[in-house]
Amino acid sequence: MRKHSPIRSKTSYRRQGVVILTLIIAIICCAVAIGVFVAADLFSKRGISIAIESSSDISSGSLTTPQTESVVTLDPTPSESSDVTESTKTSETEPTDTTERVPPTIPTGITGPDLTGYVVVLDPGHQLKPNREQEPLSPTMSGSKDKVSAGTQGVTTGRPEYEVNLEIGVLLRDYLESLGCTVYMTRTENDVNISNIERAQFALSYTPDAYIRLHCDGSSDPNRKGIGVFIADSGKHKDKLPGWSDLLGNALSEATGAKYRGYNASSRYSGLNWATDIPSFLLEMGFMTNPEEDILLSHPEYQLRICEGIANFVSQMPLNPDRPTNLD
Ligand SMILES: [Zn+2]
């Protein structure tokens, strides 16, 4: 065997070293190049999503219909649920001057389903001043809740939720009555003090075909929007409530064009837990923390669409067989 000379051996080692060094440099260059590509890709996608979001503005002067999206189920633990977290919500929006606001009215000669014989109780959620006194969460479970929580506030309009709830409630009462429905309201003023249990007991006393609690939603995410329905997860109507909730949500979605986010059955709503003997629903009509829906919820034409959707829902409900028949 031939031996390598020391000089050849040194040269060989040097060549090998150069090759290895070149390989290392090439690998580093590749890694850097891949990194740059990934970063550039992420940046361009982010740029597109920002562009899409910023193009969805609406003007307050004209009513635009949001795109209807596929039905999804609400989060099992919705953080925006008004009765649960509204007390922790704050808004820095200055309330706008609403003293000159003209209450919406229904146009003459509206058409809709014949609601003769139906009885509906409406509860415009919240009131001027929240009531932090506690009342039992449920007739069957331990725990307590605020008698009336604060509600959310319009991120664009600055309007408090209790005011919008009542405005739509009064319009809805007139709308349903014009179609032959009998309607009772838990409140027709903002400056009242009626707890959620008292509202439930008021509703129970009429054995209605539907007890609808009117609310607007709030979230820390301004992009969240759409319609939600909350129901009790117990009581005599437990099995039928999910189907009825979908009737309500879909009817409202069809009339307004807003997305129905699905229903959520929960035991955390005192106002529902105390009214499980009647078909009771907490309807979140839209998000006041979403700039677009906040404006829509105060728009007279959109409010009429909400009324239309709820009227269509009522017409699909069975008459409550528990209601005593009128013998007069
Ligand atoms: Zn609410």
Side-chain angles (χ1 to χ4, degrees), residues 211-248:
Y211 171 39
I212 305 173
R213 307 177 62 204
L214 299 168
H215 283 255
C216 300
D217 225 332
S219 169
S220 56
D221 178 1
N223 293 315
R224 288 199 87 160
K225 57 181 185 177
I227 298 155
V229 180
F230 292 83
I231 48 177
D233 61 357
S234 62
K236 67 187 294 184
H237 301 296
K238 181 187 170 190
D239 295 337
K240 288 181 178 169
L241 280 173
W244 289 339
S245 298
D246 285 343
L247 284 181
L248 174 57

PDB file of all heavy atoms in Angstrom, residues 211-248:
ATOM      1  N   TYR A 211     -92.097  32.990  25.401  1.00  0.00           N
ATOM      2  CA  TYR A 211     -91.584  34.073  26.250  1.00  0.00           C
ATOM      3  C   TYR A 211     -90.227  34.442  25.671  1.00  0.00           C
ATOM      4  O   TYR A 211     -89.297  33.628  25.686  1.00  0.00           O
ATOM      5  CB  TYR A 211     -91.466  33.591  27.701  1.00  0.00           C
ATOM      6  CG  TYR A 211     -90.748  34.540  28.641  1.00  0.00           C
ATOM      7  CD1 TYR A 211     -90.933  35.928  28.567  1.00  0.00           C
ATOM      8  CD2 TYR A 211     -89.884  34.056  29.627  1.00  0.00           C
ATOM      9  CE1 TYR A 211     -90.287  36.780  29.448  1.00  0.00           C
ATOM     10  CE2 TYR A 211     -89.235  34.905  30.517  1.00  0.00           C
ATOM     11  CZ  TYR A 211     -89.442  36.272  30.428  1.00  0.00           C
ATOM     12  OH  TYR A 211     -88.796  37.120  31.290  1.00  0.00           O
ATOM     13  N   ILE A 212     -90.134  35.644  25.108  1.00  0.00           N
ATOM     14  CA  ILE A 212     -88.903  36.040  24.404  1.00  0.00           C
ATOM     15  C   ILE A 212     -88.233  37.176  25.164  1.00  0.00           C
ATOM     16  O   ILE A 212     -88.797  38.263  25.307  1.00  0.00           O
ATOM     17  CB  ILE A 212     -89.204  36.464  22.955  1.00  0.00           C
ATOM     18  CG1 ILE A 212     -89.964  35.354  22.223  1.00  0.00           C
ATOM     19  CG2 ILE A 212     -87.896  36.783  22.212  1.00  0.00           C
ATOM     20  CD1 ILE A 212     -90.449  35.755  20.833  1.00  0.00           C
ATOM     21  N   ARG A 213     -87.036  36.915  25.624  1.00  0.00           N
ATOM     22  CA  ARG A 213     -86.241  37.925  26.319  1.00  0.00           C
ATOM     23  C   ARG A 213     -85.320  38.570  25.278  1.00  0.00           C
ATOM     24  O   ARG A 213     -84.475  37.904  24.689  1.00  0.00           O
ATOM     25  CB  ARG A 213     -85.437  37.271  27.449  1.00  0.00           C
ATOM     26  CG  ARG A 213     -86.323  36.447  28.393  1.00  0.00           C
ATOM     27  CD  ARG A 213     -85.507  35.758  29.464  1.00  0.00           C
ATOM     28  NE  ARG A 213     -84.832  36.740  30.296  1.00  0.00           N
ATOM     29  CZ  ARG A 213     -83.713  36.481  30.988  1.00  0.00           C
ATOM     30  NH1 ARG A 213     -83.150  35.288  30.933  1.00  0.00           N
ATOM     31  NH2 ARG A 213     -83.147  37.427  31.719  1.00  0.00           N
ATOM     32  N   LEU A 214     -85.523  39.845  25.052  1.00  0.00           N
ATOM     33  CA  LEU A 214     -84.805  40.551  23.987  1.00  0.00           C
ATOM     34  C   LEU A 214     -83.510  41.155  24.521  1.00  0.00           C
ATOM     35  O   LEU A 214     -83.533  41.980  25.444  1.00  0.00           O
ATOM     36  CB  LEU A 214     -85.700  41.665  23.411  1.00  0.00           C
ATOM     37  CG  LEU A 214     -87.013  41.202  22.784  1.00  0.00           C
ATOM     38  CD1 LEU A 214     -87.932  42.397  22.530  1.00  0.00           C
ATOM     39  CD2 LEU A 214     -86.753  40.442  21.486  1.00  0.00           C
ATOM     40  N   HIS A 215     -82.403  40.737  23.932  1.00  0.00           N
ATOM     41  CA  HIS A 215     -81.095  41.238  24.354  1.00  0.00           C
ATOM     42  C   HIS A 215     -80.229  41.533  23.130  1.00  0.00           C
ATOM     43  O   HIS A 215     -80.483  41.031  22.034  1.00  0.00           O
ATOM     44  CB  HIS A 215     -80.367  40.207  25.226  1.00  0.00           C
ATOM     45  CG  HIS A 215     -80.872  40.137  26.632  1.00  0.00           C
ATOM     46  ND1 HIS A 215     -80.185  40.672  27.698  1.00  0.00           N
ATOM     47  CD2 HIS A 215     -82.007  39.607  27.138  1.00  0.00           C
ATOM     48  CE1 HIS A 215     -80.879  40.462  28.817  1.00  0.00           C
ATOM     49  NE2 HIS A 215     -81.993  39.821  28.497  1.00  0.00           N
ATOM     50  N   CYS A 216     -79.193  42.345  23.371  1.00  0.00           N
ATOM     51  CA  CYS A 216     -78.125  42.521  22.386  1.00  0.00           C
ATOM     52  C   CYS A 216     -76.841  42.017  23.030  1.00  0.00           C
ATOM     53  O   CYS A 216     -76.652  42.150  24.234  1.00  0.00           O
ATOM     54  CB  CYS A 216     -77.971  43.984  21.985  1.00  0.00           C
ATOM     55  SG  CYS A 216     -79.464  44.680  21.247  1.00  0.00           S
ATOM     56  N   ASP A 217     -75.984  41.470  22.218  1.00  0.00           N
ATOM     57  CA  ASP A 217     -74.781  40.815  22.712  1.00  0.00           C
ATOM     58  C   ASP A 217     -73.611  41.797  22.788  1.00  0.00           C
ATOM     59  O   ASP A 217     -73.648  42.873  22.196  1.00  0.00           O
ATOM     60  CB  ASP A 217     -74.414  39.647  21.783  1.00  0.00           C
ATOM     61  CG  ASP A 217     -74.051  38.402  22.562  1.00  0.00           C
ATOM     62  OD1 ASP A 217     -73.572  38.558  23.701  1.00  0.00           O
ATOM     63  OD2 ASP A 217     -74.234  37.295  22.038  1.00  0.00           O
ATOM     64  N   GLY A 218     -72.568  41.380  23.499  1.00  0.00           N
ATOM     65  CA  GLY A 218     -71.337  42.162  23.579  1.00  0.00           C
ATOM     66  C   GLY A 218     -70.146  41.224  23.636  1.00  0.00           C
ATOM     67  O   GLY A 218     -70.271  40.106  24.116  1.00  0.00           O
ATOM     68  N   SER A 219     -69.022  41.668  23.110  1.00  0.00           N
ATOM     69  CA  SER A 219     -67.823  40.834  23.110  1.00  0.00           C
ATOM     70  C   SER A 219     -66.592  41.730  23.112  1.00  0.00           C
ATOM     71  O   SER A 219     -66.634  42.871  22.648  1.00  0.00           O
ATOM     72  CB  SER A 219     -67.804  39.945  21.859  1.00  0.00           C
ATOM     73  OG  SER A 219     -66.550  39.314  21.712  1.00  0.00           O
ATOM     74  N   SER A 220     -65.493  41.185  23.605  1.00  0.00           N
ATOM     75  CA  SER A 220     -64.235  41.926  23.540  1.00  0.00           C
ATOM     76  C   SER A 220     -63.678  41.891  22.116  1.00  0.00           C
ATOM     77  O   SER A 220     -62.797  42.679  21.773  1.00  0.00           O
ATOM     78  CB  SER A 220     -63.225  41.323  24.521  1.00  0.00           C
ATOM     79  OG  SER A 220     -63.063  39.948  24.238  1.00  0.00           O
ATOM     80  N   ASP A 221     -64.213  41.003  21.299  1.00  0.00           N
ATOM     81  CA  ASP A 221     -63.788  40.899  19.896  1.00  0.00           C
ATOM     82  C   ASP A 221     -64.771  41.676  19.015  1.00  0.00           C
ATOM     83  O   ASP A 221     -65.906  41.240  18.822  1.00  0.00           O
ATOM     84  CB  ASP A 221     -63.750  39.424  19.479  1.00  0.00           C
ATOM     85  CG  ASP A 221     -63.363  39.243  18.010  1.00  0.00           C
ATOM     86  OD1 ASP A 221     -63.114  40.263  17.326  1.00  0.00           O
ATOM     87  OD2 ASP A 221     -63.307  38.085  17.558  1.00  0.00           O
ATOM     88  N   PRO A 222     -64.360  42.817  18.464  1.00  0.00           N
ATOM     89  CA  PRO A 222     -65.299  43.631  17.676  1.00  0.00           C
ATOM     90  C   PRO A 222     -65.758  42.961  16.392  1.00  0.00           C
ATOM     91  O   PRO A 222     -66.722  43.401  15.774  1.00  0.00           O
ATOM     92  CB  PRO A 222     -64.488  44.904  17.369  1.00  0.00           C
ATOM     93  CG  PRO A 222     -63.059  44.479  17.496  1.00  0.00           C
ATOM     94  CD  PRO A 222     -63.018  43.401  18.534  1.00  0.00           C
ATOM     95  N   ASN A 223     -65.086  41.888  15.984  1.00  0.00           N
ATOM     96  CA  ASN A 223     -65.495  41.194  14.753  1.00  0.00           C
ATOM     97  C   ASN A 223     -66.646  40.215  14.987  1.00  0.00           C
ATOM     98  O   ASN A 223     -67.261  39.741  14.031  1.00  0.00           O
ATOM     99  CB  ASN A 223     -64.314  40.425  14.160  1.00  0.00           C
ATOM    100  CG  ASN A 223     -63.234  41.364  13.663  1.00  0.00           C
ATOM    101  OD1 ASN A 223     -63.526  42.355  13.003  1.00  0.00           O
ATOM    102  ND2 ASN A 223     -61.994  41.085  14.023  1.00  0.00           N
ATOM    103  N   ARG A 224     -66.923  39.888  16.233  1.00  0.00           N
ATOM    104  CA  ARG A 224     -67.994  38.908  16.499  1.00  0.00           C
ATOM    105  C   ARG A 224     -69.343  39.533  16.210  1.00  0.00           C
ATOM    106  O   ARG A 224     -69.636  40.645  16.647  1.00  0.00           O
ATOM    107  CB  ARG A 224     -67.952  38.446  17.958  1.00  0.00           C
ATOM    108  CG  ARG A 224     -66.788  37.547  18.250  1.00  0.00           C
ATOM    109  CD  ARG A 224     -67.025  36.763  19.502  1.00  0.00           C
ATOM    110  NE  ARG A 224     -67.747  35.534  19.189  1.00  0.00           N
ATOM    111  CZ  ARG A 224     -67.773  34.484  19.988  1.00  0.00           C
ATOM    112  NH1 ARG A 224     -67.169  34.509  21.144  1.00  0.00           N
ATOM    113  NH2 ARG A 224     -68.418  33.395  19.641  1.00  0.00           N
ATOM    114  N   LYS A 225     -70.160  38.805  15.458  1.00  0.00           N
ATOM    115  CA  LYS A 225     -71.495  39.304  15.169  1.00  0.00           C
ATOM    116  C   LYS A 225     -72.420  38.135  14.891  1.00  0.00           C
ATOM    117  O   LYS A 225     -71.976  36.995  14.730  1.00  0.00           O
ATOM    118  CB  LYS A 225     -71.469  40.275  13.991  1.00  0.00           C
ATOM    119  CG  LYS A 225     -70.888  39.712  12.709  1.00  0.00           C
ATOM    120  CD  LYS A 225     -70.907  40.798  11.632  1.00  0.00           C
ATOM    121  CE  LYS A 225     -70.466  40.273  10.296  1.00  0.00           C
ATOM    122  NZ  LYS A 225     -70.561  41.307   9.249  1.00  0.00           N
ATOM    123  N   GLY A 226     -73.705  38.425  14.836  1.00  0.00           N
ATOM    124  CA  GLY A 226     -74.683  37.377  14.554  1.00  0.00           C
ATOM    125  C   GLY A 226     -75.681  37.193  15.681  1.00  0.00           C
ATOM    126  O   GLY A 226     -75.602  37.832  16.727  1.00  0.00           O
ATOM    127  N   ILE A 227     -76.615  36.282  15.408  1.00  0.00           N
ATOM    128  CA  ILE A 227     -77.760  36.042  16.288  1.00  0.00           C
ATOM    129  C   ILE A 227     -77.497  34.801  17.127  1.00  0.00           C
ATOM    130  O   ILE A 227     -77.006  33.789  16.617  1.00  0.00           O
ATOM    131  CB  ILE A 227     -79.018  35.813  15.417  1.00  0.00           C
ATOM    132  CG1 ILE A 227     -79.320  37.071  14.594  1.00  0.00           C
ATOM    133  CG2 ILE A 227     -80.206  35.399  16.275  1.00  0.00           C
ATOM    134  CD1 ILE A 227     -80.107  36.768  13.326  1.00  0.00           C
ATOM    135  N   GLY A 228     -77.840  34.854  18.392  1.00  0.00           N
ATOM    136  CA  GLY A 228     -77.710  33.690  19.263  1.00  0.00           C
ATOM    137  C   GLY A 228     -78.985  33.490  20.070  1.00  0.00           C
ATOM    138  O   GLY A 228     -79.691  34.440  20.372  1.00  0.00           O
ATOM    139  N   VAL A 229     -79.280  32.250  20.402  1.00  0.00           N
ATOM    140  CA  VAL A 229     -80.452  31.945  21.227  1.00  0.00           C
ATOM    141  C   VAL A 229     -79.989  31.122  22.425  1.00  0.00           C
ATOM    142  O   VAL A 229     -79.281  30.126  22.270  1.00  0.00           O
ATOM    143  CB  VAL A 229     -81.515  31.154  20.435  1.00  0.00           C
ATOM    144  CG1 VAL A 229     -82.717  30.855  21.327  1.00  0.00           C
ATOM    145  CG2 VAL A 229     -81.966  31.926  19.203  1.00  0.00           C
ATOM    146  N   PHE A 230     -80.388  31.575  23.616  1.00  0.00           N
ATOM    147  CA  PHE A 230     -80.053  30.835  24.840  1.00  0.00           C
ATOM    148  C   PHE A 230     -81.327  30.265  25.454  1.00  0.00           C
ATOM    149  O   PHE A 230     -82.372  30.918  25.462  1.00  0.00           O
ATOM    150  CB  PHE A 230     -79.346  31.756  25.839  1.00  0.00           C
ATOM    151  CG  PHE A 230     -77.972  32.173  25.370  1.00  0.00           C
ATOM    152  CD1 PHE A 230     -77.818  33.243  24.490  1.00  0.00           C
ATOM    153  CD2 PHE A 230     -76.851  31.480  25.774  1.00  0.00           C
ATOM    154  CE1 PHE A 230     -76.563  33.606  24.031  1.00  0.00           C
ATOM    155  CE2 PHE A 230     -75.591  31.842  25.320  1.00  0.00           C
ATOM    156  CZ  PHE A 230     -75.449  32.899  24.444  1.00  0.00           C
ATOM    157  N   ILE A 231     -81.212  29.036  25.931  1.00  0.00           N
ATOM    158  CA  ILE A 231     -82.355  28.348  26.527  1.00  0.00           C
ATOM    159  C   ILE A 231     -81.903  27.632  27.796  1.00  0.00           C
ATOM    160  O   ILE A 231     -80.707  27.395  27.981  1.00  0.00           O
ATOM    161  CB  ILE A 231     -82.953  27.299  25.553  1.00  0.00           C
ATOM    162  CG1 ILE A 231     -81.826  26.431  24.965  1.00  0.00           C
ATOM    163  CG2 ILE A 231     -83.767  27.973  24.451  1.00  0.00           C
ATOM    164  CD1 ILE A 231     -82.310  25.310  24.056  1.00  0.00           C
ATOM    165  N   ALA A 232     -82.876  27.279  28.649  1.00  0.00           N
ATOM    166  CA  ALA A 232     -82.556  26.485  29.839  1.00  0.00           C
ATOM    167  C   ALA A 232     -82.273  25.052  29.416  1.00  0.00           C
ATOM    168  O   ALA A 232     -82.806  24.579  28.408  1.00  0.00           O
ATOM    169  CB  ALA A 232     -83.713  26.541  30.830  1.00  0.00           C
ATOM    170  N   ASP A 233     -81.434  24.376  30.185  1.00  0.00           N
ATOM    171  CA  ASP A 233     -81.119  22.975  29.854  1.00  0.00           C
ATOM    172  C   ASP A 233     -81.920  22.007  30.718  1.00  0.00           C
ATOM    173  O   ASP A 233     -81.514  20.873  30.929  1.00  0.00           O
ATOM    174  CB  ASP A 233     -79.619  22.722  29.988  1.00  0.00           C
ATOM    175  CG  ASP A 233     -79.113  22.965  31.396  1.00  0.00           C
ATOM    176  OD1 ASP A 233     -79.927  23.377  32.255  1.00  0.00           O
ATOM    177  OD2 ASP A 233     -77.913  22.755  31.644  1.00  0.00           O
ATOM    178  N   SER A 234     -83.035  22.493  31.226  1.00  0.00           N
ATOM    179  CA  SER A 234     -83.878  21.640  32.069  1.00  0.00           C
ATOM    180  C   SER A 234     -85.336  22.057  31.898  1.00  0.00           C
ATOM    181  O   SER A 234     -85.632  23.015  31.192  1.00  0.00           O
ATOM    182  CB  SER A 234     -83.465  21.784  33.540  1.00  0.00           C
ATOM    183  OG  SER A 234     -83.661  23.122  33.951  1.00  0.00           O
ATOM    184  N   GLY A 235     -86.235  21.331  32.547  1.00  0.00           N
ATOM    185  CA  GLY A 235     -87.640  21.715  32.538  1.00  0.00           C
ATOM    186  C   GLY A 235     -88.474  20.913  31.559  1.00  0.00           C
ATOM    187  O   GLY A 235     -87.966  20.087  30.797  1.00  0.00           O
ATOM    188  N   LYS A 236     -89.766  21.213  31.565  1.00  0.00           N
ATOM    189  CA  LYS A 236     -90.706  20.381  30.810  1.00  0.00           C
ATOM    190  C   LYS A 236     -90.542  20.495  29.298  1.00  0.00           C
ATOM    191  O   LYS A 236     -90.965  19.617  28.557  1.00  0.00           O
ATOM    192  CB  LYS A 236     -92.149  20.700  31.221  1.00  0.00           C
ATOM    193  CG  LYS A 236     -92.618  22.082  30.834  1.00  0.00           C
ATOM    194  CD  LYS A 236     -93.990  22.397  31.418  1.00  0.00           C
ATOM    195  CE  LYS A 236     -95.068  21.496  30.811  1.00  0.00           C
ATOM    196  NZ  LYS A 236     -96.409  21.864  31.316  1.00  0.00           N
ATOM    197  N   HIS A 237     -89.940  21.582  28.815  1.00  0.00           N
ATOM    198  CA  HIS A 237     -89.771  21.757  27.359  1.00  0.00           C
ATOM    199  C   HIS A 237     -88.339  21.472  26.905  1.00  0.00           C
ATOM    200  O   HIS A 237     -87.972  21.810  25.777  1.00  0.00           O
ATOM    201  CB  HIS A 237     -90.173  23.171  26.956  1.00  0.00           C
ATOM    202  CG  HIS A 237     -91.594  23.500  27.294  1.00  0.00           C
ATOM    203  ND1 HIS A 237     -92.659  22.849  26.721  1.00  0.00           N
ATOM    204  CD2 HIS A 237     -92.121  24.394  28.171  1.00  0.00           C
ATOM    205  CE1 HIS A 237     -93.793  23.345  27.220  1.00  0.00           C
ATOM    206  NE2 HIS A 237     -93.491  24.272  28.107  1.00  0.00           N
ATOM    207  N   LYS A 238     -87.558  20.865  27.790  1.00  0.00           N
ATOM    208  CA  LYS A 238     -86.129  20.651  27.524  1.00  0.00           C
ATOM    209  C   LYS A 238     -85.860  20.031  26.149  1.00  0.00           C
ATOM    210  O   LYS A 238     -84.947  20.454  25.433  1.00  0.00           O
ATOM    211  CB  LYS A 238     -85.556  19.754  28.624  1.00  0.00           C
ATOM    212  CG  LYS A 238     -84.074  19.473  28.495  1.00  0.00           C
ATOM    213  CD  LYS A 238     -83.638  18.450  29.526  1.00  0.00           C
ATOM    214  CE  LYS A 238     -82.227  17.976  29.241  1.00  0.00           C
ATOM    215  NZ  LYS A 238     -81.852  16.821  30.070  1.00  0.00           N
ATOM    216  N   ASP A 239     -86.651  19.020  25.786  1.00  0.00           N
ATOM    217  CA  ASP A 239     -86.389  18.307  24.529  1.00  0.00           C
ATOM    218  C   ASP A 239     -86.801  19.094  23.289  1.00  0.00           C
ATOM    219  O   ASP A 239     -86.247  18.884  22.205  1.00  0.00           O
ATOM    220  CB  ASP A 239     -87.111  16.955  24.529  1.00  0.00           C
ATOM    221  CG  ASP A 239     -86.559  16.027  25.605  1.00  0.00           C
ATOM    222  OD1 ASP A 239     -85.401  16.241  26.015  1.00  0.00           O
ATOM    223  OD2 ASP A 239     -87.286  15.115  26.044  1.00  0.00           O
ATOM    224  N   LYS A 240     -87.784  19.988  23.448  1.00  0.00           N
ATOM    225  CA  LYS A 240     -88.272  20.724  22.282  1.00  0.00           C
ATOM    226  C   LYS A 240     -87.572  22.065  22.096  1.00  0.00           C
ATOM    227  O   LYS A 240     -87.574  22.621  20.989  1.00  0.00           O
ATOM    228  CB  LYS A 240     -89.782  20.953  22.409  1.00  0.00           C
ATOM    229  CG  LYS A 240     -90.580  19.674  22.203  1.00  0.00           C
ATOM    230  CD  LYS A 240     -92.071  19.939  22.305  1.00  0.00           C
ATOM    231  CE  LYS A 240     -92.852  18.651  22.044  1.00  0.00           C
ATOM    232  NZ  LYS A 240     -94.279  18.791  22.387  1.00  0.00           N
ATOM    233  N   LEU A 241     -86.986  22.574  23.171  1.00  0.00           N
ATOM    234  CA  LEU A 241     -86.385  23.915  23.097  1.00  0.00           C
ATOM    235  C   LEU A 241     -85.304  24.056  22.020  1.00  0.00           C
ATOM    236  O   LEU A 241     -85.264  25.077  21.325  1.00  0.00           O
ATOM    237  CB  LEU A 241     -85.826  24.322  24.466  1.00  0.00           C
ATOM    238  CG  LEU A 241     -86.860  24.847  25.477  1.00  0.00           C
ATOM    239  CD1 LEU A 241     -86.216  25.045  26.848  1.00  0.00           C
ATOM    240  CD2 LEU A 241     -87.475  26.163  25.005  1.00  0.00           C
ATOM    241  N   PRO A 242     -84.423  23.059  21.827  1.00  0.00           N
ATOM    242  CA  PRO A 242     -83.407  23.216  20.773  1.00  0.00           C
ATOM    243  C   PRO A 242     -84.020  23.429  19.388  1.00  0.00           C
ATOM    244  O   PRO A 242     -83.597  24.310  18.643  1.00  0.00           O
ATOM    245  CB  PRO A 242     -82.612  21.907  20.846  1.00  0.00           C
ATOM    246  CG  PRO A 242     -82.745  21.475  22.266  1.00  0.00           C
ATOM    247  CD  PRO A 242     -84.155  21.844  22.651  1.00  0.00           C
ATOM    248  N   GLY A 243     -85.035  22.625  19.059  1.00  0.00           N
ATOM    249  CA  GLY A 243     -85.686  22.771  17.756  1.00  0.00           C
ATOM    250  C   GLY A 243     -86.370  24.123  17.621  1.00  0.00           C
ATOM    251  O   GLY A 243     -86.288  24.779  16.579  1.00  0.00           O
ATOM    252  N   TRP A 244     -87.048  24.537  18.684  1.00  0.00           N
ATOM    253  CA  TRP A 244     -87.720  25.843  18.655  1.00  0.00           C
ATOM    254  C   TRP A 244     -86.699  26.978  18.539  1.00  0.00           C
ATOM    255  O   TRP A 244     -86.945  27.985  17.882  1.00  0.00           O
ATOM    256  CB  TRP A 244     -88.565  26.021  19.919  1.00  0.00           C
ATOM    257  CG  TRP A 244     -89.789  25.150  19.968  1.00  0.00           C
ATOM    258  CD1 TRP A 244     -90.429  24.563  18.914  1.00  0.00           C
ATOM    259  CD2 TRP A 244     -90.536  24.766  21.131  1.00  0.00           C
ATOM    260  NE1 TRP A 244     -91.520  23.854  19.340  1.00  0.00           N
ATOM    261  CE2 TRP A 244     -91.616  23.953  20.697  1.00  0.00           C
ATOM    262  CE3 TRP A 244     -90.409  25.021  22.502  1.00  0.00           C
ATOM    263  CZ2 TRP A 244     -92.547  23.411  21.584  1.00  0.00           C
ATOM    264  CZ3 TRP A 244     -91.337  24.487  23.385  1.00  0.00           C
ATOM    265  CH2 TRP A 244     -92.397  23.691  22.925  1.00  0.00           C
ATOM    266  N   SER A 245     -85.552  26.800  19.211  1.00  0.00           N
ATOM    267  CA  SER A 245     -84.500  27.832  19.130  1.00  0.00           C
ATOM    268  C   SER A 245     -84.026  28.005  17.699  1.00  0.00           C
ATOM    269  O   SER A 245     -83.803  29.131  17.235  1.00  0.00           O
ATOM    270  CB  SER A 245     -83.302  27.446  20.008  1.00  0.00           C
ATOM    271  OG  SER A 245     -83.683  27.359  21.354  1.00  0.00           O
ATOM    272  N   ASP A 246     -83.870  26.882  17.010  1.00  0.00           N
ATOM    273  CA  ASP A 246     -83.439  26.951  15.609  1.00  0.00           C
ATOM    274  C   ASP A 246     -84.505  27.616  14.740  1.00  0.00           C
ATOM    275  O   ASP A 246     -84.185  28.353  13.799  1.00  0.00           O
ATOM    276  CB  ASP A 246     -83.114  25.555  15.070  1.00  0.00           C
ATOM    277  CG  ASP A 246     -81.784  25.025  15.603  1.00  0.00           C
ATOM    278  OD1 ASP A 246     -80.986  25.834  16.112  1.00  0.00           O
ATOM    279  OD2 ASP A 246     -81.546  23.810  15.505  1.00  0.00           O
ATOM    280  N   LEU A 247     -85.781  27.371  15.051  1.00  0.00           N
ATOM    281  CA  LEU A 247     -86.853  28.062  14.328  1.00  0.00           C
ATOM    282  C   LEU A 247     -86.703  29.571  14.491  1.00  0.00           C
ATOM    283  O   LEU A 247     -86.788  30.336  13.528  1.00  0.00           O
ATOM    284  CB  LEU A 247     -88.234  27.639  14.868  1.00  0.00           C
ATOM    285  CG  LEU A 247     -88.801  26.283  14.474  1.00  0.00           C
ATOM    286  CD1 LEU A 247     -90.185  26.095  15.100  1.00  0.00           C
ATOM    287  CD2 LEU A 247     -88.899  26.151  12.951  1.00  0.00           C
ATOM    288  N   LEU A 248     -86.474  29.982  15.742  1.00  0.00           N
ATOM    289  CA  LEU A 248     -86.332  31.416  16.043  1.00  0.00           C
ATOM    290  C   LEU A 248     -85.099  32.006  15.356  1.00  0.00           C
ATOM    291  O   LEU A 248     -85.180  33.028  14.675  1.00  0.00           O
ATOM    292  CB  LEU A 248     -86.251  31.608  17.565  1.00  0.00           C
ATOM    293  CG  LEU A 248     -85.964  33.022  18.084  1.00  0.00           C
ATOM    294  CD1 LEU A 248     -87.003  34.021  17.578  1.00  0.00           C
ATOM    295  CD2 LEU A 248     -85.934  33.040  19.622  1.00  0.00           C
TER     296      LEU A 248
END
